[in-house]
Amino acid sequence: MTTLTGPPDVAVPTTTGRPVLHRAPSTSEYRRAAGRRRARLGLMTRYTARPLLPSALKELRDLDDAGRPLSAFTDEEGGAPLRCCLRRSAPGERIALVSYAPLRRWAAETGADPGAYDEQGPVFIHADDCPGPQADTLPFTNAHRTVRRYSADGRILGGRLVTDPDDYVPAFTEAFTDPEVALVHVRAVEYGCFLYEVRRP
């Protein structure tokens, strides 16, 4: 029995009366297209993308993790990756770019001491109170990202480059197969900016 992985090639009539055979998309092309659709819609998964906590946001809107006061502005163009709501900003929203220390905040919860691995970097948040994420999906999957692994004491255990929306869940599964991995960070490739955290389910 033959299993079809996509539609067959199609003979399309032309004005000359001679049909032209159009090649059907390959399986890999279907996979990439499906991945792009899932990236647009958000990826449903058993792994939870954790936004910045309301308690942290309240503090960051006063002084950020570098000790700087909030400097809010109106986002005229939109598109900033908001770590409070895990979505892109809309034009006209009031947002701020603040310094955030994800491992330091996590260590304060867990009692870990990340030592030299403690770091801080820029993240966008709403300048005012916001409702948080409105969808239970993995955000920001439409670009290359790094999934960085951390141990329970905050040490980096390695990572993986993710280039396809279909590969986020396998990257998380692979990471948590290692019993030493307590959490992962999803980060931008170009600048290394923190996007969100995923903890062991």
Side-chain angles (χ1 to χ4, degrees):
M1 181 175 66
T2 301
T3 300
L4 295 178
T5 57
D9 293 349
V10 179
V12 179
T14 65
T15 55
T16 63
R18 300 177 63 183
V20 175
L21 189 66
H22 282 238
R23 182 185 64 81
S26 68
T27 301
S28 61
E29 288 169 331
Y30 276 115
R31 184 173 181 270
R32 287 194 295 271
R36 288 191 293 270
R37 286 194 296 272
R38 281 190 287 274
R40 288 195 297 270
L41 297 174
L43 187 64
M44 297 297 294
T45 171
R46 71 188 184 95
Y47 297 105
T48 301
R50 297 172 62 93
L52 272 60
L53 295 175
S55 57
L57 290 167
K58 182 178 180 180
E59 293 173 357
L60 293 169
R61 288 171 180 140
D62 181 20
L63 294 175
D64 69 12
D65 286 346
R68 287 185 287 265
L70 187 76
S71 179
F73 63 95
T74 299
D75 187 358
E76 300 292 347
E77 297 182 358
L82 297 167
R83 276 55 158 211
C84 48
C85 293
L86 298 183
R87 63 168 175 82
R88 298 281 179 179
S89 61
E93 289 191 288
R94 290 186 73 248
I95 65 174
L97 185 63
V98 299
S99 184
Y100 178 67
L103 272 186
R104 189 185 311 165
R105 296 278 180 171
W106 168 81
E109 281 185 61
T110 62
D113 178 14
Y117 291 93
D118 179 29
E119 59 180 324
Q120 60 193 34
V123 299
F124 286 103
I125 61 172
H126 277 120
D128 305 297
D129 289 345
C130 53
Q134 300 299 296
D136 186 20
T137 56
L138 293 178
F140 312 133
T141 60
N142 60 342
H144 293 184
R145 306 293 185 202
T146 297
V147 174
R148 187 187 294 175
R149 307 170 187 177
Y150 291 89
S151 66
D153 57 0
R155 271 48 176 176
I156 296 175
L157 295 178
R160 173 174 166 178
L161 176 66
V162 178
T163 61
D164 188 286
D166 284 338
D167 291 338
Y168 282 84
V169 170
F172 297 151
T173 301
E174 178 185 85
F176 292 120
T177 297
D178 182 350
E180 296 297 316
V181 174
L183 74 160
V184 300
H185 286 178
V186 175
R187 291 175 174 260
V189 171
E190 295 87 347
Y191 301 106
C193 297
F194 171 85
L195 290 168
Y196 56 89
E197 171 188 307
V198 176
R199 297 188 184 181
R200 179 177 290 279

